[in-house]
Amino acid sequence: MDLNQARFNMIEQQIRPWEVLDPQVLALLSVVRREDFVPLAHKALAFVDMEIPLGAAPNQVMLAPRVQARLLQDLAVQKTDKVLDIGTGSGFMAALLAHQAAHVLSLEIDANLAVQAQANLQKAGVSNVTVRNTDGSQGAATDGPFDAIVISGSVAEVPAALLQQLAVGGRLAAIVGDEPMMRATLITRTSESSWTTTEPWDCNAPRLSGFAEPSRFQF
């Protein structure tokens, strides 16, 4: 397989048509080697438009390339930003963020995935990411505030604790809701006590472990 051709096809046939047009994001996807963050057994699927299994649990996946790219574009990370990445997985999203940010703190609830992600990032020469094996659903308040927070999986709702960890002007990107229709959600903190929310696109993704599900009980 010609990896460079497959990478080019991924960008031109999957990512650009999904309205990812930011030149910086497209350039990053050309230089950060996605195949180095895919488990060996699934290496041939590195550039396919699908979620790639990472662990034993069905929700342990690497999100599809177009979804990761669009979340990255929505966050508009700057070189001075401190970023919180929740759901490290294989470390690929953290690697992309690291190229744009000053520092990335990446939280992974699964110990095996955290170890593998750390190894993947080291092999890729990424030095400004800290991987921490912990439940990320409540963020990392003592390390905040953060200029950008990304939740790399779906949640029923964004915990209030995470919104409080955004700096004023900071952005949080997540996939929120229930199947069959979830929405990509971008929340921006506009002051100490106010946030604005937009839902720019539809997308389904597996649930991220550790986040609470609201009660479905109806009177």
Side-chain angles (χ1 to χ4, degrees):
M1 182 171 80
D2 183 337
L3 292 176
N4 289 327
Q5 185 63 48
R7 193 186 332 277
F8 177 83
N9 293 345
M10 173 190 74
I11 293 169
E12 296 302 318
Q13 296 170 13
Q14 298 172 40
I15 291 170
R16 275 189 191 274
W18 241 46
E19 297 179 28
V20 179
L21 303 173
D22 183 321
Q24 188 187 40
V25 172
L26 294 172
L28 266 183
L29 293 164
S30 295
V31 298
V32 181
R33 292 165 54 89
R34 182 177 169 87
E35 66 272 23
D36 292 346
F37 291 85
V38 174
L40 201 55
H42 302 299
K43 188 111 6 194
L45 304 175
F47 305 107
V48 176
D49 182 18
M50 64 176 287
E51 292 154 0
I52 296 175
L54 294 177
N59 67 330
Q60 291 177 335
V61 301
M62 191 172 178
L63 294 176
R66 59 190 169 90
V67 174
Q68 291 182 312
R70 191 127 185 219
L71 288 171
L72 195 65
Q73 177 173 267
D74 286 354
L75 278 174
V77 174
Q78 307 296 310
K79 278 290 182 191
T80 53
D81 282 354
K82 181 160 68 169
V83 179
L84 180 65
D85 171 38
I86 302 174
T88 313
S90 69
F92 182 64
M93 190 67 168
L96 293 171
L97 291 163
H99 280 76
Q100 293 186 309
H103 185 264
V104 179
L105 172 60
S106 192
L107 310 180
E108 174 53 58
I109 196 169
D110 183 277
N112 291 330
L113 286 182
V115 169
Q116 189 56 57
Q118 185 70 65
N120 289 342
L121 289 160
Q122 283 175 344
K123 281 184 208 162
V126 178
S127 58
N128 60 330
V129 175
T130 301
V131 177
R132 187 177 296 167
N133 174 212
T134 187
D135 176 358
S137 63
Q138 298 303 302
T142 56
D143 298 276
F146 298 96
D147 303 293
I149 299 175
V150 61
I151 301 175
S152 290
S154 73
V155 294
E157 56 194 22
V158 176
L162 293 182
L163 299 181
Q164 293 293 343
Q165 291 169 39
L166 279 175
V168 174
R171 294 85 57 209
L172 180 147
I175 298 164
V176 182
D178 298 290
E179 290 188 319
M181 183 61 74
M182 302 178 187
R183 299 284 296 176
T185 301
L186 185 68
I187 302 172
T188 303
R189 187 168 196 169
T190 52
S191 74
E192 286 298 327
S193 57
S194 60
W195 295 259
T196 61
T197 301
T198 58
E199 297 179 334
W201 41 284
D202 298 337
C203 170
N204 283 342
R207 277 287 191 255
L208 208 57
S209 298
F211 285 78
E213 293 287 330
S215 171
R216 301 289 177 218
F217 182 77
Q218 299 289 326
F219 286 103

